[in-house]
Amino acid sequence: RAMWEGDTLIVVTAGFQPGESWRAPSRLYLSRDAVVTERFTRTTKAEIRYAFSVSDPATFTQTWRAEMPLRATPGPMFEFACHEGNYSLSGILAGQRKADHE
């Protein structure tokens, strides 16, 4: 669920399935009791502060947190799409370089 708290968008995620990783491929496994709270706050015209906390008493002894700035890039933004080329791109490029060489 999500809500606004002043200028901050807060996104709370719960109901994780055991054995599934959060934000794959991180391999961070959480229990059904886990709650991840994310906060997005615009700090300048070109920056958003992203902060999150992970609370999971079944996995960790205490809640842990992290924070980082998300900065706007100059120029257009392109969609990130997951497809088979993500895994075989180095082989595709190597094959083309070999063909170019020949």
Side-chain angles (χ1 to χ4, degrees), residues 5 8 13-14 18-19 21 24 40 49 55 64-65 68-69 71 74 81 99:
E5 186 177 280
T8 300
T13 305
S21 67
F40 300 85
R49 182 177 60 239
S55 175
W64 59 276
R65 297 168 179 81
M68 65 186 236
R71 295 186 178 99

Side-chain angles (χ1 to χ4, degrees), residues 28-47:
L28 172 62
Y29 295 95
L30 302 174
S31 76
R32 287 187 195 277
D33 300 326
V35 176
V36 176
T37 304
E38 299 172 282
R39 296 173 176 270
F40 300 85
T41 307
R42 183 169 294 280
T43 53
T44 69
K45 184 178 177 184
E47 185 175 290

Side-chain angles (χ1 to χ4, degrees), residues 35-94:
V35 176
V36 176
T37 304
E38 299 172 282
R39 296 173 176 270
F40 300 85
T41 307
R42 183 169 294 280
T43 53
T44 69
K45 184 178 177 184
E47 185 175 290
I48 293 173
R49 182 177 60 239
Y50 171 68
F52 70 92
S53 64
V54 177
S55 175
D56 186 359
T59 307
F60 303 108
T61 58
Q62 62 187 21
T63 298
W64 59 276
R65 297 168 179 81
E67 180 178 306
M68 65 186 236
L70 303 175
R71 295 186 178 99
T73 58
M77 181 162 60
F78 298 97
E79 175 187 8
F80 172 81
C82 185
H83 56 82
E84 59 278 354
N86 289 350
Y87 300 102
S88 61
L89 188 58
S90 60
I92 292 168
L93 292 173

